[in-house]
Amino acid sequence: MPELMQLGVFALCYLAFAQLALLQQAHRQKVWRSAAPPTARGRQLRRNAAVISLAGAPALLMTVEVPGFAVLLWLCLMSAAAVAVALTLSWKPGLLRWLP
């Protein structure tokens, strides 16, 4: 069970970092060839979704791990997710096309 929670938190962090990356015009153009800039409301929604996802992740981990280890694991999973998003954007940016 803890492994599934850890995988879920990794996916949550990955999605949050992908949302933050797609706020930048250069990354949007890599993913969608002719991407229009998001509206102000769209940018705010993406940013809020990413913040809520990143802030809620340690709470999910604390349900299956002790608090000290949960925070350490959260930091490691955030780092791995950020690297995974960077590698996705440099290798196959089209994989992020399904994100709104």
Side-chain angles (χ1 to χ4, degrees):
M1 175 65 181
E3 293 83 13
L4 288 177
M5 185 65 73
Q6 293 168 5
L7 184 62
V9 168
F10 175 80
L12 203 60
C13 291
Y14 182 87
L15 291 175
F17 282 121
Q19 291 288 347
L20 290 174
L22 290 177
L23 286 173
Q24 298 177 3
Q25 186 64 25
H27 296 312
R28 287 182 65 81
Q29 285 177 346
K30 278 180 141 179
V31 174
W32 299 287
R33 296 289 181 212
S34 61
T39 62
R41 186 167 193 269
R43 281 193 310 268
Q44 192 63 36
L45 284 174
R46 277 185 197 262
R47 197 173 295 129
N48 288 343
V51 167
I52 290 169
S53 296
L54 290 174
L60 291 174
L61 284 174
M62 285 184 199
T63 62
V64 294
E65 302 288 351
V66 294
F69 183 68
V71 171
L72 178 66
L73 185 59
W74 173 60
L75 291 172
C76 291
L77 289 173
M78 274 197 332
S79 300
V83 169
V85 169
L87 291 174
T88 302
L89 284 171
S90 64
W91 180 56
K92 291 255 188 196
L95 292 176
L96 296 177
R97 262 192 205 116
W98 59 274
L99 289 173

